[in-house]
Amino acid sequence: MFQPLVGMDLTDLAAALSPSQPGYRARQIYQALYQGQAGDLVAISTLPLGLRQELAERHALGLPTVDRVFESTDGTRRYLLRLADGRTVEAVLMPEEHRDTICISSQVGCPVDCKFCMTALMGLERSLTAGEIVGQVLLVARQNQLRQEGGRLNIVIMGQGEPLLNLPNVVKATRILLDPAGFALSPRRITVSTAGIIPQIAELGREPVRPRLAISLNASTEEQRQELMPITRKYHMKDLLAACKAYPLRPWEKLTFEYVLLNGVNDSDADARRVLKLLAHLNAKVNLIALNPGPGIPYATPLPERVASFQAIVRRGLPCFVRKPRGLDIYAACGQLKSHSQSATGPASPPSPEHS
Ligand code: SAH
């Protein structure tokens, strides 16, 4: 089995090289992998050809391959990416006027059983390695000529999986993405989203290099949250909010709370008032998203007026934004593309893949 280079930090690379290599080689490879977004090991022209060949005998570059791409009329591109063991994960590029956001996965499937989420229906297959997490960013950036400089590029770890149940690999990947000698993104430009794994929130807060933190709240009472997000039976909302209060924010940072609006379930004005009350004492902002519906999801999307009313109430006390649903025509909800490609009995077919 060829050992992948993507995902290695400087220490790993130095250890992978033979002792006869000069000390600066590890740094050269590191730069080529992450700053240079290398697409082919043998094409890394800063290295002597002999070394490239030697590396290629033992290592693969380790980028995922593109299994399928779907392009939405709104410009969103969904990638179904194939990993070395044949499993697939999703990454999504959402281009906007002033920024590009790549949404990446942290696990194949997910063990957290949220009732409105398509990925939950798959269960957990396995966690991703640091290389597979970074590899999604490198692949999508390369395919779309996105550069890390210039402050346009944002990464959100909000695809398949629960990132805080794969924290060591998420942290290692984040370090590489944020390292000025690595992918060199600003720490403001990576966000990790959690369903609320409380011990790991504290652990993340102790990391010197870490992404911004978003919490998927999705309910306004303990009971409602237990119903929608069974993980709350283990990690109570009250304790989650206490962990948020104790979370060490950097001077420029706010916590983000995400809230999926489900028609007639958690989207009333009373819910909005409760959300405001729950979060008012935190340095936070709220992102609302109307449900992206999908097969097997027993909820409906609220009307825009309902979303607007909810937002207006939360806005009385906190910054509150409505996230535009993206790529509805290409099955944009979490996990939809993969679920659809695995089942023969989905509803309408998504549009034909751009590449196959
Ligand atoms: N497990 C992590 C990250 C993956 S889910 C978490 O829970 O945060 C990323 C976000 O997508 C979460 O805020 C989740 O609530 C939201 N989400 C999941 N399914 C959705 C759907 N069908 N429509 C809209 N948002 C959804």
Side-chain angles (χ1 to χ4, degrees), residues 110 112 114 116-118 157-163 193-196 214-218 229 258-260 289-294 297 323 333-334 336:
C110 185
V112 180
C114 301
F116 46 81
C117 177
M118 296 280 302
I157 310 178
M158 296 188 184
Q160 282 172 14
E162 170 45 56
S193 174
T194 181
I215 311 278
S216 298
L217 186 66
N218 296 339
M229 303 176 74
E258 297 159 275
Y259 196 100
V260 182
I289 179 148
L291 176 78
N292 252 331
I297 301 298
R323 287 201 350 223
C334 199
Q336 280 188 329

Side-chain angles (χ1 to χ4, degrees), residues 139-157:
L139 193 278
V140 174
R142 233 189 110 71
Q143 292 253 324
N144 296 279
Q145 283 111 41
L146 306 176
R147 296 295 312 172
Q148 47 274 60
E149 311 87 30
R152 271 190 66 92
L153 186 59
N154 292 274
I155 308 296
V156 295
I157 310 178

Side-chain angles (χ1 to χ4, degrees), residues 1 10 50 53 56 71 131 195 229 265 294:
M1 180 89 174
L10 265 178
Q53 282 160 348
E71 180 146 5
M229 303 176 74
V265 176

